[in-house]
Amino acid sequence: MSGAREKKRAKKMRNQPASVTIPAEPGPFAGGGSRACPPPGDVHSEQQQQQQKFSNQSTGPSYRKDQYFSKGQSRGERARGRGGWQGGCQSVSEEMPKYITVLFIPVSTFAQARAAEISAMLKAVSQKSSNSLVFQTLPRHMRRRAMSHNIKRLPRRLQEMARKEFFETLSLHLRFLKIIVNGSEIALGTSLAHTNYMFLRDLSYYCCLELTGKENELLKQLGRMCSIDTGLTFQEASCLSGRFEGSLYLYRADRYPEDMLGPVTFFWRPRDGSEHRQLWIWVHPALKQDILRELKAIFQCSEPEGICITEPVTTSVQEEKQMEVVMCPGKKRKKEDKEGEKVVPVKKIIGDGTRDPFQSYSWISQTTGIAISDRSMEILRYRLIGPLSHLVLTETLKAASVQTEMAGSETERNNWWVENCKDSEKVSLHQCQSAIFELLEGMSSPSEMPPGTILGLTVGDPRINLPKKKTKAMPDFEKYQDNDKVRQLYLEGVPVDCAHSFIWDQDICKNVTENKISEQDLNHMRAQLLVPGSHLDLGPCESKIPVLLVQQPGKMAGEDRPGWGSGWDICLPKGWGMAFWIPFIYQGVRVGGLQEALMHSEYQRTPHTPNDFPDCQAGRQFAKELETSLLEKFKRRPPAKRANYVKLGTLSPFICPWGQLTKNWEGRMKASGGFVHPSLSHPECCTTEGHSDCDPKAVVRETSPETGEVEETMEITSSEGTLKTEDVTSTQDLGVRGETQTSDFIVLRSEKLLMQLSAWCYPTAGKDRRIRLISRLGQREMTEDVFLPILLSYPRALVWVNLSLLRKGNPELHAMICIPTEDDLLHLSKDKLFCGPQEPKHRDIFKDKVKRQKEEKKKKKKKGIPDQDTTEDHEDLILGLWSDALPDVTSHCSRTVLGYVTRGDFSLATGCGEALGFVSLTGLIYMLYNQPADKKGLVLLRTPASLQYRFARLNIEV
């Protein structure tokens, strides 16, 4: 055989599977086979020749010398075998010759061997032998960039493998991937935790304002700050008893519906037979000062009752001995106790850390006797969200055992609990609370409980029940067979007496905080256990912590996903935050912050504080800060990469001009004297084929200086003629305008009117007609006699709405909500795939002014004039932003602007783009009155940096 053939054969034999063998059958030979051995001389000579050729010519894989021969075998023995050829074929099999001449092979044996080879070959072909992707196995000239994300770009023979590869790695990547939309990072796992498991948030930054005094005096003054039109009040019977938590909107005294202060939640302490009551009001920190100032004004609390002064840290003699520092030359300082062990000083909790030490934290009225206390950070509050949040509570917390003996004479730990356990009525109440708490484990979801249910409880130290490793709490419905008690708990809720908790007593909370067992002592006790990892029983030394459980109902408004986002809040004394936080984590909950809270409220379609409260001071301040941030981000971009919002027809891309919007709609109604169809006042001028001239907008053809092409732009004119750019002297900062400083508009929050508007938004004819709920059957039809009194009462009002895109598209922040014309609706009826009309490009009337300003700036720079003198008269204009006072925002574009979006994103809950925002009440009624019966509630959405309108469905959930 020639050298080339030998190399080719060696290359082929190299990749043969080693596991494929031919089973031997019984025979007369020593090896047990039936194969005939060739003559020794022939085999010997042939082997020597092949070995010589292989050693001189073969370039295949190198083999070790001892691969086929045993250790110590001589070079001569390798050629002829240890026992020569007299030993029969046994020596031949040990030598493993290069070629074997087979005289007889059974058919079944041959077929089995070939089947094994074919199976191994098919397996090797179907499976990848490397870590590369499927599209990377193709030759380089056949690869395309789109193959990494588009399976259809691959050859058909590889599409199935690529599809399996895509779905196998998708879950792994999405587990850690963060979807970045609108500049905010939203984790996909957060949505899954809200829907399928549980989610943990820290609400301790919310401020707790405590009011104490006579019940009648409290209700009399607090009633001036709220209205029954918006829903609950402080006088609600179910909340006044202390069984349920309430939520409402606060206004300045006797100023409803103007001068909004913000949303709050509250719960009363259950009655104890006295006329004095205790009330906790939970407010967002951005609203705290305004609400606290109004509360002190209506209750006439001007004299401070107490001042939080930081006390100096005093150490006892024993602590001083423990803190002695042993100075050794050449060594670090070490703190030792009397036993010589290293110790770490225990942190002392002094104050709440949120106020100036010399600032007042409690006020009392000399006339009414009402006391107001700021208990911010004195009470910690955690929120567990998800269908399994009640299981986390039952697995983490265990009801405290009844204790009648003191832990020791040297400590005051649990002395308050021992005193209360001596009272049989309180012991019976504690056992009733424990029984109800255990029944929670038999529920399928927290939303099955009555909304806002409050349950008081005293629990043991949760660090004692800490599992060895992270687990996942799962429901076990077979554990509780008594479904009658669970059903009774669903219907009747928690009794009034069981809402009582010792957390209302400040002295008890102080005792629990100061006598907490440190982590160091707890770990020292665990180290002394005989069996490491066994349960640590502290007996009477175990701390007893009073807590308060508050049920969160989740999504209650609307028809879809009822109860989504339900859970439980737990209130506990300060100093015990990490002692409860870590056990919750060990039960498998996921932790989220402000961004996840924003997403949670977006999926619930509820306003988020303070983002979605433009009529209160905190909301206006947030809008100004957001505008400043977006403007700075816009300036950091290169000029060539900035969007020209003037050409796009976006007057205010960084802030929503609510005051200007409501004012313009009020002026339109007064000027028209009634409601006119939008097609009469707004001709169709936005189709892509051509545009018709209209006033006050006219389509102008101009040549682009960059490309030299003729572009159709829309020129903005006023009643006096074309807007002159030479008279522009206002600054670029939109936050300087008056409507963001003083609220000259309100947000409609009357439940009765909102339900009426919600019923009008539903189509009453056609294929898309929805079945009305029973609550909407009593609503009146939309006539002028019905809606004109509403407009007269609320001429400048905004309405909170949610929008769902009919097809593709992602709504963004500050997107415009517009009214579709007759032609738009007709086009949509004919073509169901119609995405929406397009806005024609506008003419940049400030472009020449910006160029002249740059030229003047260059001339002054050449002359050596300082930059300060160039900006004395006005700030630098920015190309692409509207630099003058805002014109009529409703008629600036080809489609009438109805409102703006405050939050928008692709919703993983509904599978389409969703947006939340406000629309003008006058504009909404104007649109609904003129729309066909089968197209009620259809609007157009356009993002600030786009010309494309997209259809969306407008809903009002109450």
Side-chain angles (χ1 to χ4, degrees), residues 324-328 332-336:
E324 288 180 358
V325 180
V326 180
M327 300 296 297
C328 299
K332 295 182 179 180
R333 294 179 297 176
K334 297 181 180 180
K335 300 174 181 179
E336 298 182 356

Side-chain angles (χ1 to χ4, degrees), residues 216-288:
N216 296 334
E217 192 65 30
L218 288 171
L219 295 177
K220 178 182 177 181
Q221 299 300 330
L222 290 175
R224 299 170 56 192
M225 300 180 62
C226 56
S227 175
I228 198 174
D229 292 342
T230 61
L232 298 179
T233 63
F234 290 101
Q235 299 180 0
E236 182 67 27
S238 58
C239 300
L240 192 60
S241 62
R243 292 181 60 195
F244 299 99
E245 180 191 36
S247 60
L248 49 81
Y249 299 104
L250 287 184
Y251 295 82
R252 296 197 184 275
D254 305 323
R255 292 289 298 168
Y256 173 81
E258 301 176 355
D259 293 340
M260 170 72 171
L261 292 177
V264 299
T265 59
F266 68 94
F267 40 84
W268 293 84
R269 183 176 184 177
R271 293 185 177 94
D272 55 358
S274 174
E275 62 178 356
H276 281 72
R277 298 297 302 274
Q278 193 171 352
L279 172 67
W280 281 356
I281 301 178
W282 294 85
V283 302
H284 192 274
L287 314 172
K288 172 185 171 182

